[in-house]
Amino acid sequence: MKNSSQVISLRKPDDWHVHLRDGAILKAIVPHTARVFGRAIVMPNLRPPITTIDSAREYRKRILQSVPDEIEFTPLMTAYLTDDLSPEVLEIGKEEGIFTAAKLYPANATTNSAEGVSDIRLIDNILETLQRLGLPLLIHGEVVDQDVDIFDREAVFIEKYLEPILNRYPELRVVLEHITTEDAVQFVESSSANLAATITPHHLHLNRNAMFDGGFRSDFYCLPVVKREKHRRALRKAATSGKSCFFLGTDSAPHTRSYKETSCGCAGIFNAAYAIQSYIEVFEQENAISKLENFCSVYGARFYKLPLNSDSITLIRQNTIVPNSFKFKSEDQSYQEIIPFHAGQTLSWSLKEGFEM
Ligand code: NCD
Ligand code: ZN
């Protein structure tokens, strides 16, 4: 990584957690991710979810068809775990180079997770298989019990489910996705190197006050929900710590404005378009630009045991004004809007395509 006060040039980053959706919205948003990231771990929570090798293969094809011609981008596919997914699907899926990881959604924990796992104790055969295959397990770490407060769901999950899983499967590689609490930071730091965590840009910028600033801000509503300021501070410290157990995963999760701004709005923040600038703001504010490249471009690939990207990207210190919305034509020919994270704000770095230092 070369950097000066005016230019940052870093090894091409990867996004280790992204929702690319399907259909018209897929076409509209993939270029944003593909322009910056070399690879991305693609979440399988479509409707219906990606539970077979064929559906993953077809989905990968549709993603690649949405990547602009001149861009090289590799989508890494994940299998959506259900109560009765056969371990064979994982075994063959890995062998055929289709699945890079498996995703565990506790049933009903988040968007499109109704078919997720209803009881973690039922999937021992799957966890054993993942451990044996060396296929990482990616976890949405929140309990779904209605009697657990929504702000405590991550901490309770760690104690009740994550710790026992790690104890029973010490060789299993696990990513605790999109962590949001100091509890998660401490737990990941003190666990073995087989546990890592992704951190999103929005959890580094927002606390729960921001979600209710002057009224309910549906654009800041995501799951796991943003937490108290002390948790945001702990996440910023973790992301910029230089520790290899924390790496980039945007959890960019677009929903159209009409699905966000309604009486029961969807959880998810679309941040792919300016994610890298968003992270850079945080690393600069924390005086940790020297830690940026490892977080964005090295630690994730090492954890997944994949080679590092050899290309690089360059950003220059030049204001970028984030648009208020992106419009796209949906299947029914109507125009729909997606509101990006940082809408209307000015960020201080711009992506320089093809720029030489
Ligand atoms: C994600 C989505 O919309 O698919 N939403 C979110 O708030 N992050 C699902 C998820 O990752 O929880
Ligand atoms: Zn997600």
Side-chain angles (χ1 to χ4, degrees):
M1 174 169 144
K2 293 186 223 160
N3 72 76
S4 68
S5 61
Q6 300 303 314
V7 180
I8 295 175
S9 171
L10 77 158
R11 189 184 288 281
K12 197 164 213 194
D14 300 301
D15 185 350
W16 300 101
H17 181 130
V18 71
H19 300 268
L20 296 180
R21 312 302 193 208
D22 212 345
I25 191 167
L26 166 77
K27 283 217 158 357
I29 62 161
V30 163
H32 293 292
T33 293
R35 201 160 69 98
V36 174
F37 297 99
R39 295 164 290 200
I41 283 278
V42 181
M43 288 296 126
N45 62 332
L46 300 185
R47 252 184 299 180
I50 301 296
T51 54
T52 66
I53 295 166
D54 281 351
S55 65
R57 194 182 273 123
E58 290 302 308
Y59 184 32
R60 183 166 71 181
K61 219 184 272 170
R62 294 195 296 282
I63 295 169
L64 287 170
Q65 282 162 358
S66 310
V67 175
D69 282 346
E70 68 285 8
I71 293 181
E72 235 182 88
F73 170 71
T74 306
L76 303 171
M77 310 312 288
T78 56
Y80 181 111
L81 300 181
T82 63
D83 286 350
D84 48 20
L85 187 93
S86 152
E88 229 187 5
V89 171
L90 301 170
E91 188 137 15
I92 300 172
K94 168 155 196 233
E95 225 165 78
E96 296 192 357
I98 302 293
F99 290 131
T100 300
K103 178 71 192 253
L104 168 60
Y105 290 103
N108 302 315
T110 186
T111 309
N112 297 347
S113 63
E115 288 156 82
V117 172
S118 69
D119 183 345
I120 288 171
R121 286 163 299 191
L122 295 177
I123 59 161
D124 270 336
N125 57 348
I126 285 180
L127 301 182
E128 263 164 42
T129 306
L130 292 174
Q131 176 171 257
R132 178 166 51 77
L133 296 173
L135 211 52
L137 172 69
L138 318 183
I139 302 184
H140 183 108
E142 288 193 287
V143 294
V144 293
D145 319 32
Q146 285 310 309
D147 54 350
V148 176
D149 190 278
I150 188 164
F151 290 99
D152 299 331
R153 287 182 183 174
E154 183 174 275
V156 174
F157 183 91
I158 290 171
E159 197 188 322
K160 199 166 164 190
Y161 297 108
L162 182 58
E163 223 178 335
I165 290 177
L166 299 176
N167 289 337
R168 269 185 294 143
Y169 302 97
E171 299 304 319
L172 179 63
R173 272 179 302 136
V174 176
V175 184
L176 186 56
E177 298 288 347
H178 42 51
I179 58 169
T180 61
T181 57
E182 188 175 35
D183 314 61
V185 167
Q186 287 170 357
F187 185 79
V188 173
E189 280 174 344
S190 60
S191 296
S192 89
N194 284 337
L195 178 66
T198 50
I199 304 180
T200 77
H202 42 279
H203 289 102
L204 296 171
H205 282 279
L206 305 174
N207 63 23
R208 65 193 201 180
N209 279 3
M211 197 172 48
F212 299 107
D213 187 13
F216 175 60
R217 306 286 185 135
S218 60
D219 297 331
F220 295 162
Y221 171 54
C222 64
L223 286 170
V225 72
V226 290
K227 306 288 191 307
R228 285 176 182 277
E229 177 62 7
K230 71 164 183 171
H231 296 297
R232 185 182 76 100
R233 284 182 187 278
L235 294 170
R236 288 170 75 101
K237 217 167 143 223
T240 59
S241 66
K243 292 184 179 165
S244 60
C245 54
F246 301 114
F247 49 80
L248 185 157
T250 63
D251 194 18
S252 181
H255 293 282
T256 59
R257 185 171 192 165
S258 54
Y259 278 107
K260 297 265 318 160
E261 297 179 7
T262 174
S263 61
C264 188
C266 293
I269 295 177
F270 174 62
N271 61 30
Y274 296 93
I276 199 73
Q277 288 95 327
S278 182
Y279 282 116
I280 292 176
E281 300 266 322
V282 172
F283 277 73
E284 257 207 321
Q285 287 158 4
E286 300 289 326
N287 272 319
I289 283 291
S290 64
K291 308 284 179 13
L292 180 74
E293 186 174 56
N294 280 338
F295 177 80
C296 298
S297 322
V298 177
Y299 293 154
R302 286 215 189 118
F303 186 86
Y304 276 85
K305 301 192 197 274
L306 291 169
L308 304 184
N309 293 322
S310 46
D311 299 0
S312 61
I313 60 166
T314 298
L315 294 110
I316 53 172
R317 190 183 294 282
Q318 189 178 81
N319 285 348
T320 305
I321 299 172
V322 177
N324 287 320
S325 79
F326 288 106
K327 293 188 180 54
F328 72 97
K329 204 179 197 178
S330 72
E331 278 85 358
D332 65 7
Q333 305 302 304
S334 68
Y335 280 95
Q336 297 290 333
E337 278 184 289
I338 299 171
I339 314 293
F341 185 44
H342 297 299
Q345 291 177 5
T346 301
L347 300 175
S348 27
W349 291 85
S350 301
L351 200 62
K352 185 87 185 170
E353 268 139 314
F355 178 82
E356 292 290 317
M357 257 187 76

